[in-house]
Amino acid sequence: MIDPARHAPLRPLAWEPRVVESAIAEIVADAIEYFDDDRFWSVHPQDEQALEGETSLYFGAAGMVWALDYLARVGATRRVLDFRPVLPVLMAANKAEFSARGYPEHGSLLFGDMGAAIVAMRLAPSAPLADLIHQRASANTDLPIRELMWGLPGSMLACVHMDEMTGEERWQSLFVTQALRLLGELEMSEVGPLWTQDLYGRRVRYLGPVHGFAGNMIPLMRGWRWLNDAQRDRVGAVVPQTLAANARLSTDGTAWMPAAGDDRPYALCQHCHGSPGMVTAFADAPFSSPEFENLLIEAGRFTWAAGPLAKGSNLCHGTGGNGYTFLKLYRRTNNPVWLERARAFAMTAIVQCREAREKLGRGRFSLWTGDVGLAIYLWDCLAVEPHFPTIDVM
């Protein structure tokens, strides 16, 4: 089940808080050094789908600005730039950039101006920005895409974040409307209730947290207080059912393929597709059963058996993102072995990040696929409190 080509050995390094603090400082200093007022940050060669001067929350400047501000807010760094003067340029560039992508009419959380505007709200809140976010989120109510990156679940998550920032009633109202539709379109299949995604010209029943079942469940759990009893009961019943029906069992633990019905011999083991993302999505679930808890534990065991990712240290498909598996399980179980494993992955990820920076002569400047996402993971390993960017905090 584990593809050895996708994974790298765990470095035999002891947990050293001072090394972790130094790594965070290096990442922040590198990001600040390479920031440009007009072009933001240059694209990394491994981010092949990103644009030069990318502005999105996922690949580009919006995610970088948010991450650097967040690291300063939580006390992980004292070095900070005042990004407020560049926010109008960032917003305008993002609007133009997103209009050229595949779904310009959608209020995309990770690529569109809805996500960029949430970042701007965090730094320089204003009523017009809040109105823009509400307008873009509302547009998803009747649009067809039902996944976290581009469509409806992303706008529901935006409502959760905006409620936390503003306390306005309109975010709950919109969330309730969209949750009704999202749950209403959950379809029974031979492998449990699932959504079929119509994305990038394909119809696929994805399972993971970026495009699939887990990602659609994330905002429902984050907005749990806004669901009625029947909706809570349904989510609490459906999640264990669908996870169990699609689980691939092995001596190394439990894994999930990217999509239902996928019969490849190896399972991806990263946040976006596979066991790490399933744990990150569901380890904070406000419900429990013995079978559900065992699935989470076995997914953590599989992630540990697979080891660090060869792609690098990032969140989406790197060692840092996989490390959140163990931090989340530590919070849910209070078993210290998971904290030890989280910190072991952190030390390996630091080496991976430094080696990559030395090879290229600069860092990888994006939240989800780059170094600042790792810096947040490293801080969470120090603080012993997991806050996965975009999902848990914004």
Side-chain angles (χ1 to χ4, degrees):
M1 287 290 291
I2 297 171
D3 183 355
R6 292 182 176 272
H7 295 273
L10 190 72
R11 308 295 175 98
L13 300 169
W15 170 251
E16 291 284 351
R18 289 184 181 179
V19 173
V20 177
E21 291 167 357
S22 294
I24 294 171
E26 291 168 12
I27 291 168
V28 171
D30 190 46
I32 290 175
E33 179 183 353
Y34 281 88
F35 173 70
D36 183 275
D37 287 352
D38 298 316
R39 295 175 298 163
F40 308 114
W41 285 273
S42 57
V43 69
H44 192 276
Q46 288 180 279
D47 289 330
E48 297 175 354
Q49 295 175 306
L51 306 171
E52 186 58 41
E54 174 92 26
T55 61
S56 71
L57 187 64
Y58 181 83
F59 271 136
M64 288 293 297
V65 167
W66 176 82
L68 291 171
D69 177 73
Y70 176 78
L71 286 167
R73 276 191 282 127
V74 298
T77 180
R78 293 182 179 180
R79 294 196 62 180
V80 65
L81 291 178
D82 183 1
F83 289 109
R84 288 175 295 180
V86 304
L87 291 177
V89 178
L90 173 61
M91 291 294 297
N94 178 263
K95 183 176 181 180
E97 179 183 294
F98 189 62
S99 67
R101 285 200 151 106
Y103 306 103
E105 70 276 19
H106 284 260
S108 171
L109 178 63
L110 295 187
F111 282 99
D113 59 356
M114 182 171 69
I118 296 174
V119 174
M121 271 292 294
R122 179 61 73 183
L123 274 68
S126 71
L129 276 174
D131 290 344
L132 171 63
I133 295 164
H134 192 267
Q135 177 187 357
R136 297 300 271 157
S138 297
N140 282 338
T141 301
D142 299 316
L143 291 171
I145 296 180
R146 301 167 305 197
E147 63 87 56
L148 190 66
M149 181 174 278
W150 295 99
L152 185 72
S155 62
M156 293 168 62
L157 193 54
C159 288
V160 173
H161 291 312
M162 287 300 294
D163 175 74
E164 292 170 352
M165 279 193 263
T166 71
E168 296 174 341
E169 188 278 333
R170 60 177 168 170
W171 306 110
Q172 176 180 348
S173 178
L174 178 57
F175 179 98
V176 168
T177 297
Q178 295 186 340
L180 185 65
R181 178 195 158 192
L182 187 63
L183 279 171
E185 294 178 354
L186 188 60
E187 302 171 337
M188 179 56 70
S189 76
E190 69 280 7
V191 284
L194 287 167
W195 289 275
T196 300
Q197 302 299 347
D198 189 346
L199 195 64
Y200 308 132
R202 301 176 62 205
R203 290 180 58 80
V204 184
R205 293 180 300 184
Y206 286 111
L207 297 170
V210 174
H211 297 312
F213 174 82
N216 287 9
M217 285 296 178
I218 285 171
L220 292 167
M221 293 183 293
R222 291 283 281 112
W224 192 255
R225 66 193 184 280
W226 293 337
L227 301 182
N228 60 41
D229 289 344
Q231 290 171 324
R232 291 177 182 176
D233 289 345
R234 189 168 191 215
V235 172
V238 161
V239 168
Q241 177 187 357
T242 298
L243 291 188
N246 289 277
R248 299 279 293 271
L249 309 181
S250 75
T251 56
D252 291 315
T254 297
W256 288 267
M257 306 306 287
D262 192 332
D263 59 358
R264 284 178 286 185
Y266 295 128
L268 292 178
C269 185
Q270 55 201 45
H271 172 79
C272 49
H273 298 293
S275 298
M278 291 303 194
V279 175
T280 303
F282 293 115
D284 295 327
F287 48 82
S288 179
S289 70
E291 180 184 37
F292 178 63
E293 301 299 330
N294 186 62
L295 284 170
L296 295 178
I297 295 296
E298 288 296 296
R301 198 165 67 82
F302 186 85
T303 303
W304 178 251
L309 279 157
K311 280 188 175 183
S313 59
N314 67 80
L315 295 180
C316 191
H317 35 261
T319 303
N322 281 23
Y324 268 108
T325 304
F326 312 128
L327 274 183
K328 292 268 186 173
L329 284 173
Y330 175 66
R331 182 162 67 184
R332 191 167 184 97
T333 68
N334 205 34
N335 184 338
V337 70
W338 297 118
L339 179 58
E340 293 170 8
R341 291 177 175 182
R343 288 174 164 175
F345 266 45
M347 298 305 292
T348 293
I350 289 170
V351 176
Q352 290 180 305
C353 181
R354 286 173 170 169
E355 289 177 346
R357 189 188 306 126
E358 183 177 354
K359 181 178 180 180
L360 190 63
R362 45 147 284 190
R364 190 172 181 178
F365 305 124
S366 74
L367 172 58
W368 276 77
T369 65
D371 302 342
V372 291
L374 171 62
I376 294 170
Y377 171 65
L378 296 178
W379 173 255
D380 285 356
C381 284
L382 286 168
V384 196
E385 186 64 31
H387 297 293
F388 197 95
T390 309
I391 304 303
D392 300 324
V393 288
M394 187 68 188

